[in-house]
Amino acid sequence: EPEVTQTPSHQVTQMGQEVILRCVPISNHLYFYWYRQILGQKVEFLVSFYNNEISEKSEIFDDQFSVERPDGSNFTLKIRSTKLEDSAMYFCASSALRDRDSGYTFGSGTRLTVV
Amino acid sequence: AQSVTQPDIHITVSEGASLELRCNYSYGATPYLFWYVQSPGQGLQLLLKYFSGDTLVQGIKGFEAEFKRSQSSFNLRKPSVHWSDAAEYFCAVVRGGGFKTIFGAGTRLFVKA
């Protein structure tokens, strides 16, 4: 069964450092997403990406965040200057159609710890 | 604004017993509804979805859910729980016309022998 692959599974970084979280979506999917889950809290939408541009983003997704699809297979989330409150599990997801029509396939997540 | 409420933070059931996890949503139009499961250290896996039509939908792993418009509910059920069902379960709704899914806070299921 096709999978969404995320690397690394766990990353520790110092406050103020830049981090890049990597995702390989399912190959024939067209819509890509990042969500995050702070420990003990809800899964929160960050951003959706379609046709090489952001289609929607939440208020969490401020100027410190950016996404990129640098090639035909990877989808990355960059945090420019990490803060303690960025510590969370970050999930990448992809879908063949808009999420309402198909539901997502999620990756296993990257646990980001900012110290 | 759209919202999803899962009233039960955690539930404990005995193996072999039936299960019902509650989900209520707030949304003006007919919603697109989902249930996801998250096992420890894993990503979220789609269990089932409802868009329209038959209000009782079947999913993977023996789960089903029933959409009740009058109660704004989409409760998840399983007739006989297995120990491997222990996980966190998330109800979710898609905002019409948009791209994002709104998740409930989750219900953690514990299964006792």
Side-chain angles (χ1 to χ4, degrees):
Chain A
E1 185 173 336
E3 291 184 342
V4 173
T5 305
Q6 289 187 245
T7 55
S9 58
H10 191 184
Q11 182 155 358
V12 181
T13 187
Q14 289 196 327
M15 191 169 53
Q17 295 296 304
E18 173 184 287
V19 295
I20 297 176
L21 309 183
R22 304 182 189 279
C23 170
V24 179
I26 293 174
S27 61
N28 64 345
H29 282 187
L30 301 175
Y31 298 85
F32 314 111
Y33 312 84
W34 284 100
Y35 282 74
R36 79 173 186 189
Q37 185 181 30
I38 295 172
L39 187 63
Q41 297 187 24
K42 290 185 181 184
V43 177
E44 301 173 291
F45 171 81
L46 291 178
V47 66
S48 59
F49 192 86
Y50 170 70
N51 199 26
N52 286 319
E53 61 183 19
I54 290 174
S55 46
E56 188 171 356
K57 62 182 180 179
S58 72
E59 60 276 8
I60 303 168
F61 195 88
D62 60 21
D63 291 343
Q64 292 298 312
F65 291 89
S66 63
V67 290
E68 191 178 29
R69 190 158 162 78
D71 52 45
S73 60
N74 291 284
F75 180 52
T76 62
L77 174 69
K78 181 192 291 187
I79 308 175
R80 288 188 183 81
S81 178
T82 51
K83 303 186 285 286
L84 293 176
E85 54 265 36
D86 293 327
S87 295
M89 180 75 90
Y90 288 81
F91 291 105
C92 174
S94 68
S95 63
L97 306 171
R98 286 175 71 146
D99 53 12
R100 69 182 184 195
D101 297 316
S102 62
Y104 303 139
T105 299
F106 279 89
S108 297
T110 294
R111 181 168 296 285
L112 176 65
T113 303
V114 181
V115 297
Chain B
Q2 299 78 26
S3 66
V4 179
T5 302
Q6 293 181 247
D8 304 305
I9 297 172
H10 55 80
I11 282 181
T12 301
V13 299
S14 298
E15 191 170 16
S18 63
L19 169 71
E20 182 168 28
L21 302 183
R22 296 184 290 165
C23 172
N24 294 97
Y25 64 89
S26 171
Y27 185 61
T30 300
Y32 293 80
L33 295 159
F34 303 83
W35 275 98
Y36 289 87
V37 60
Q38 183 181 30
S39 298
Q42 302 296 313
L44 295 112
Q45 182 182 23
L46 179 66
L47 283 176
L48 47 77
K49 59 194 176 192
Y50 171 79
F51 300 142
S52 64
D54 192 348
T55 56
L56 184 64
V57 293
Q58 303 296 320
I60 62 171
K61 304 186 179 188
F63 285 93
E64 66 178 27
E66 186 171 13
F67 170 63
K68 293 186 177 180
R69 184 190 302 277
S70 61
Q71 297 176 20
S72 297
S73 69
F74 188 57
N75 293 349
L76 182 72
R77 302 195 293 247
K78 186 169 184 177
S80 177
V81 168
H82 187 264
W83 65 266
S84 61
D85 293 324
E88 185 135 25
Y89 292 80
F90 294 93
C91 181
V93 62
V94 173
R95 183 173 69 91
F99 288 87
K100 73 177 183 182
T101 295
I102 297 170
F103 287 84
T107 297
R108 181 164 296 279
L109 173 65
F110 297 94
V111 180
K112 62 182 181 182

